[in-house]
Amino acid sequence: MEFVGRTQNVELDREGPAQKRLKVIKDGFEKGDAAQNPTRIQPLAEMFNVHKAIRRNLESLRRTISDVSVSSTAQLYGGILARIGYLKSMMDRHCRSEESVLCPALMVKLEESKKESYPSAKDYIRVLNSKHKDMEEYFDQVTEALRTLQKEIGSPKKSETDLERTIRDLKQEKLSQLVGCVYVHLDEEEKVLLPLFNDIFSEAEQGKLLVGMLAVIFATPVLTWTVRALSKGERIGFLGLIEKYSTEDQLAEIASSIAHDLSASEWSALCNVLPAFEKAAKIKSNPLVEITHINKAIRIELADLLKFTKHLDPFDDAQLKCLAVRFAFLEKMLTYRVAGEVQVLKKELEQRLSEGKTNVSELPERDDPTEARKTLVALQEKLRAMLASGQAVDDGRGVEKILLLRMLETFAKGVTKYMDDEETKIFPLIEKHFSVEDQDQLVRKAMAMIPGAFLADLILWCLDALSLDEQERLLRNVLRYSPEAEFGNIAVAIARAVQTGEKSRRQWEELCLRVPQLQTQSKGVA
């Protein structure tokens, strides 16, 4: 169904009690402060930038669903489900910020007011909040219809006529109800709440509420999602008001989120106009987290290797070869990681300590990482020897497996202690003696020790060990400092892993929503 305007063919409480209260409220504002001061700055009007992002994403989703047909693939449905799930999560977070910050403040102000129209306004706010639940139900209905279609593709029990009927119901009923409900709700919030804001809140109060809504922890992703949907001019106006009314801590939280979300060029352009954002972002930034993400992946790999080796069939050459490949990758990766620490982090920390008043002896003694590497090399030699020995009838390989496991346990213990010492002894010193900007440069130099050809494989390997939020942050860090071609290689590597089934397509769709450059630079591989 095509929509001309926002609410065509939608009859949701048009002439009900809520609509009658809306008329009373609007009539009551005609002589209010907002009517007398139409050009007054209205910071809370910027809250509706979130509505712009919602409308744009919902319209894009509607266009995609309008192209669904009986020949649509399960892959297409998977992508749509990821998009609608992401949009629903952003809607939920936005609604929660309204209910937890804006509405309580609004109700307090209304209680204090003596104007006759305000009792009706309080009732109407309750009605608007109840519509949040309605929207959630419509989202769930569309989601369920899409899942049903995805399951029914190729089913011998479903004819083409059955599929056409289900698709028609999705487009003309469920999708229509969702789009209509959301658009009516957004329109009514803007018609009712904006004049109400201007009538009872001062400019400063509006500014504080705007920032309060966007700075709460569950609303921060909505802010970055909204910023991506705005034009350059809209973005500057929106963030300029946020800068004006934020506390130092609030601005730091908001700026650090946006810094990780925008590309390097977009962030630079923003900071040229709003330099306070660059300074604020550094307060919350933690460049070293990029290394801890790699360390996390190493710990998970070591645990998995121990488990794999414990249950290894020593007479299965395929298992031995698989283990050899994993050991070889781990050796290469650790070689570059240790080089980054020894030749960059440790070297520059020693130099900084010697330049200052702190004695170099503050640098803790640590185990020599080359010993762990020697153990890993010995592990690979033992595997090669086991493969060359042939599948003897005696238990020779069984004994070798026991020795192999003991060597691996020793290696894992040493590497884990090395990483623990790095994070608990070295990183605190770096944070103490280097500014955030200098820390960022250190990490860039350390990461530069990894050849570009291997970096894509390393990032892909790390992603499996990280949560979706950690994956997003790691990719955005890489996007921020890497040449475009290098990030393009990473995007293509991830897309190919999706294509071959090594990485979840649903997770890929979600990552592309969070980091759109993945899709634009993967050249349509996935």
Side-chain angles (χ1 to χ4, degrees):
M1 175 180 291
E2 294 297 327
F3 285 89
V4 180
R6 297 175 184 163
T7 57
Q8 181 179 341
N9 296 328
V10 178
E11 296 296 334
L12 298 173
D13 202 20
R14 286 281 184 182
E15 300 300 330
Q19 293 301 319
K20 292 175 181 177
R21 284 195 289 272
L22 171 61
K23 185 177 187 304
V24 173
I25 297 164
K26 291 170 69 178
D27 290 344
F29 288 138
E30 289 179 356
K31 296 181 180 179
D33 292 340
Q36 301 300 318
N37 299 284
T39 60
R40 191 181 74 182
I41 295 176
Q42 304 167 17
L44 277 173
E46 294 295 320
M47 181 189 75
F48 298 126
N49 280 317
V50 180
H51 289 188
K52 291 179 184 177
I54 291 170
R55 288 190 178 101
R56 290 173 186 176
N57 280 271
L58 186 57
E59 180 58 23
S60 174
L61 183 69
R62 186 196 67 76
R63 287 197 301 269
T64 301
I65 294 178
S66 70
D67 292 334
V68 166
S69 68
V70 292
S71 61
S72 295
T73 63
Q75 180 178 324
L76 174 64
Y77 285 118
I80 296 174
L81 282 166
R83 289 174 61 186
I84 197 167
Y86 191 66
L87 176 58
K88 181 176 182 286
S89 74
M90 294 297 103
M91 287 284 295
D92 288 345
R93 289 169 181 270
H94 172 58
C95 292
R96 286 172 63 193
S97 68
E98 287 182 341
E99 293 166 3
S100 65
V101 178
L102 180 62
C103 289
L106 196 51
M107 294 298 271
V108 168
K109 276 285 191 179
L110 292 173
E111 289 289 346
E112 295 172 353
S113 174
K114 303 298 182 182
K115 290 192 177 183
E116 292 182 0
S117 64
Y118 288 160
S120 294
K122 287 190 290 185
D123 289 341
Y124 194 75
I125 290 168
R126 295 188 185 99
V127 172
L128 288 178
N129 281 343
S130 72
K131 294 293 180 68
H132 292 169
K133 183 66 176 175
D134 294 341
M135 288 190 293
E136 182 179 348
E137 291 176 358
Y138 286 128
F139 267 110
D140 290 343
Q141 289 176 16
V142 173
T143 300
E144 185 58 32
L146 287 165
R147 285 177 178 158
T148 298
L149 283 165
Q150 188 179 37
K151 291 176 183 176
E152 291 178 350
I153 293 174
S155 171
K157 297 180 181 180
K158 294 291 180 180
S159 67
E160 188 170 300
T161 302
D162 292 332
L163 287 175
E164 287 176 344
R165 186 182 302 112
T166 306
I167 291 171
R168 187 164 56 250
D169 178 65
L170 168 65
K171 295 179 180 180
Q172 296 183 359
E173 296 296 329
K174 293 180 173 60
L175 181 61
S176 174
Q177 290 171 339
L178 170 62
V179 174
C181 182
V182 172
Y183 279 166
V184 167
H185 179 71
L186 299 183
D187 287 349
E188 289 184 354
E189 276 194 342
E190 292 163 13
K191 292 173 185 175
V192 174
L193 295 184
L194 188 55
L196 188 58
F197 295 155
N198 298 331
D199 210 39
I200 66 175
F201 288 123
S202 67
E203 179 187 331
E205 288 172 330
Q206 288 192 45
K208 290 178 180 178
L209 280 171
L210 171 68
V211 173
M213 286 182 64
L214 295 171
V216 289
I217 185 66
F218 52 78
T220 304
V222 180
L223 171 64
T224 54
W225 177 70
T226 301
V227 167
R228 286 202 302 268
L230 300 179
S231 67
K232 182 178 179 181
E234 290 171 331
R235 186 179 294 172
I236 296 299
F238 182 39
L239 296 178
L241 278 174
I242 289 175
E243 176 191 325
K244 180 177 180 180
Y245 293 107
S246 294
T247 64
E248 184 175 313
D249 286 344
Q250 287 173 328
L251 188 60
E253 189 70 44
I254 290 169
S256 63
S257 297
I258 295 172
H260 284 104
D261 200 68
L262 298 180
S263 68
S265 59
E266 289 175 321
W267 174 247
S268 177
L270 173 66
C271 292
N272 285 338
V273 182
L274 301 173
F277 270 79
E278 184 171 21
K279 181 179 178 181
K282 292 176 182 177
I283 297 173
K284 286 283 184 179
S285 294
N286 180 14
L288 297 172
V289 76
E290 197 166 322
I291 296 177
T292 61
H293 282 159
I294 296 176
N295 287 353
K296 180 179 178 180
I298 294 171
R299 290 186 177 96
I300 290 174
E301 175 69 357
L302 290 173
D304 194 62
L305 282 171
L306 286 167
K307 183 178 179 181
F308 182 87
T309 305
K310 184 177 180 180
H311 298 285
L312 176 74
D313 179 356
F315 297 99
D316 187 334
D317 284 0
Q319 290 187 30
L320 295 176
K321 290 176 182 178
C322 174
L323 198 56
V325 170
R326 293 173 71 176
F327 281 162
F329 182 88
L330 196 58
E331 180 194 1
K332 185 183 291 188
M333 187 270 300
L334 285 174
T335 298
Y336 297 134
R337 271 284 291 109
V338 170
E341 183 184 334
V342 173
Q343 298 179 36
V344 179
L345 301 183
K346 183 181 177 182
K347 181 179 178 181
E348 298 213 17
L349 180 57
E350 287 176 342
Q351 183 177 344
R352 181 63 58 92
L353 291 175
S354 65
E355 292 172 353
K357 298 178 181 179
T358 306
N359 195 292
V360 179
S361 62
E362 183 181 348
L363 198 63
E365 290 292 328
R366 300 183 64 203
D367 295 338
D368 186 352
T370 58
E371 291 302 315
R373 186 175 178 279
K374 288 179 182 178
T375 303
L376 187 54
V377 170
L379 280 166
Q380 294 179 80
E381 290 174 351
K382 183 166 287 296
L383 273 175
R384 284 193 288 269
M386 290 174 70
L387 285 165
S389 67
Q391 296 190 15
V393 177
D394 62 31
D395 199 34
R397 279 198 180 188
V399 173
E400 290 299 304
K401 172 195 167 179
I402 295 172
L403 295 174
L404 186 74
L405 181 58
R406 288 175 181 172
M407 290 172 66
L408 181 57
E409 287 172 342
T410 300
F411 168 74
K413 184 177 179 180
V415 171
T416 299
K417 185 177 185 302
Y418 185 83
M419 293 186 297
D420 289 346
D421 287 346
E422 178 183 51
E423 293 171 8
T424 60
K425 297 177 181 179
I426 301 299
F427 286 0
L429 286 175
I430 292 175
E431 290 170 343
K432 178 180 177 181
H433 295 286
F434 289 83
S435 66
V436 172
E437 187 173 14
D438 288 343
Q439 289 177 46
D440 193 60
Q441 290 301 314
L442 281 178
V443 173
R444 300 284 70 75
K445 290 179 182 178
M447 292 296 288
M449 302 298 293
I450 304 172
F454 182 67
L455 182 61
D457 293 335
L458 174 60
I459 296 298
L460 180 60
W461 177 78
C462 283
L463 292 180
D464 287 336
L466 304 178
S467 69
L468 201 56
D469 287 341
E470 289 171 332
Q471 290 181 44
E472 178 186 1
R473 184 164 189 182
L474 176 62
L475 288 169
R476 287 203 169 279
N477 269 350
V478 175
L479 176 64
R480 183 163 53 89
Y481 72 78
S482 297
E484 185 174 334
E486 195 168 274
F487 185 81
N489 290 337
I490 293 170
V492 168
I494 300 171
R496 283 177 179 158
V498 173
Q499 193 178 49
T500 58
E502 298 171 63
K503 187 168 181 60
S504 161
R505 180 166 292 279
R506 173 65 66 87
Q507 197 172 79
W508 164 257
E509 299 284 356
E510 177 81 3
L511 273 176
C512 287
L513 289 169
R514 295 177 177 223
V515 188
Q517 293 88 345
L518 276 176
Q519 198 158 44
T520 57
Q521 296 195 38
S522 61
K523 304 169 185 176
V525 172

